[in-house]
Amino acid sequence: MDVTFQFDWEAAFASIPFLLKGIPYTLLISFGGLAIGFLIGILFGLLRISPLVWLRVPAIAYIEIFRGTPVLVQVLFIFYGLPQLLGGPINALVAGIAAIAVNSGAYISEIVRGGVQSIERGQREASLSLGLSRVQSFRYIIWPQAFRRMIPPLGNQGIISIKDTSLFSVIGVGELVRQGQVYIATTFNALEVYLMVALLYLAITLSLSFALRLLERKGLVGQ
Amino acid sequence: MSRDDTHADAVPIVRLDRVNKHFGQLHVLKDIVIEIQPGEVVVVIGASGSGKSTLIRCINGLEEFQAGHIEVDGNELLPDGKSGRALQRIRTEVGMVFQQFNLFPHLSVLDNVTLAPMKVRGWSRADATETAYRLLERVGIADQADKYPSQLSGGQQQRVALARALAMEPRLMLFDEPTSALDPEMIGEVLDAMRELAREGMTMVIVTHEMGFAREVADRVVFIDRGEIVEQAAPDTLFDSPQHERTQSFLSRVLKH
């Protein structure tokens, strides 16, 4: 066994242009899915705290189902399973975005619920006592404060979802991991290429962390 | 008490008729009957847990009640929160100041005061801002208008809360222990602002432990114990010669120290 294996920097750098072709897909699946997941999260997070049981129960069911099953199984179900139901194939990119959307949507629902419930009851009472309607109270008083508190957990979820997209190499969408696998299949530089893949993920997630930190700092003004 | 003469034949602005409230097994308000005349300053006293805060919170529908009815300025509140539009109308006409101030921390002092007039009354920003500055001036904090609540002292925050409520031009003001969360040196500035408001003829219902203040500004003091109105009278009468044994025992406890 050759223990004096040399890390081949040249091969590592040579893979980068090919790997970079996967980045647009990784970003599109991540942020497309998260954007839809955010809308789902707002809707189901609010249904989740509705006083009406027939709104609350479906929201709880959705959250538990999509939080309690692996995102890999979800994307396999969407990509391979749903076409049998629909009678036509589903684009791999669409399947990936849909999987991130429903999966992150479940987690974001809980983030929204936690954020809204964390606002002191006095805020709602004060706004209602001024004659604001329940909708106005939510829009002008509760939501802006809740959203600020939601930024750190939303950032967490964003990072998790970005990493989750790496699983979607299994449905053949040309994202970062898939590009790496294809490249390795011809060059066999698994060590170098996977390290580069890892570093590229890190570059994406660190950029997001940094952006969120700026947003958080800005959002905290006047708190 | 020359003001009392005008009260006699006026239409009450608030009327509670046999209001009952339960929290599960607990009977929080028992057959509360009270009328408040326009311009009257009513101070509600009683031990903590006696139901005095719950009582005034029923007047603007922050608490539901299970039996009886409440009428505020011609709008009727029904039991179990079934009041519909009347509730919104009442809240538009009734201001409230809370123990914990409850200023909106994400809005500047000015925006705290202008929000409701603009969103509820539909005033222009210019009109709301002008009114806000006039009120902030009156409570002595116009120079803090651009700050955020967390940058102010407790006493300043409570005065902003008062200005915020007054910006809606309420016909009635409710005060729920407005000085209980304040450091002692800040109580005076809030009581001064309330005193001035009373002098201007605002109808006020005040829950407080400040007995000296009650004696000074109240037209009538109401003593509540275990959810019942035990006794009510002009402050000198109630403080100097309480009729009921429960009133005497409460007063002896709070006035001694």
Side-chain angles (χ1 to χ4, degrees), chain A residues 154-165:
Chain A
L154 282 176
N156 251 337
Q157 184 55 45
I159 287 170
I160 290 169
S161 290
I162 288 168
K163 294 185 297 177
D164 280 348
T165 63

Side-chain angles (χ1 to χ4, degrees), chain B residues 182-219:
Chain B
L182 293 174
D183 291 336
E185 74 269 24
M186 293 170 185
I187 291 175
E189 63 196 57
V190 171
L191 293 183
D192 283 344
M194 291 170 62
R195 205 172 273 131
E196 197 190 317
L197 192 61
R199 209 174 296 134
E200 287 168 9
M202 175 64 78
T203 312
M204 298 161 76
V205 184
I206 306 166
V207 170
T208 186
H209 296 289
E210 299 290 332
M211 297 302 159
F213 175 77
R215 185 190 281 264
E216 180 196 343
V217 305
D219 295 314

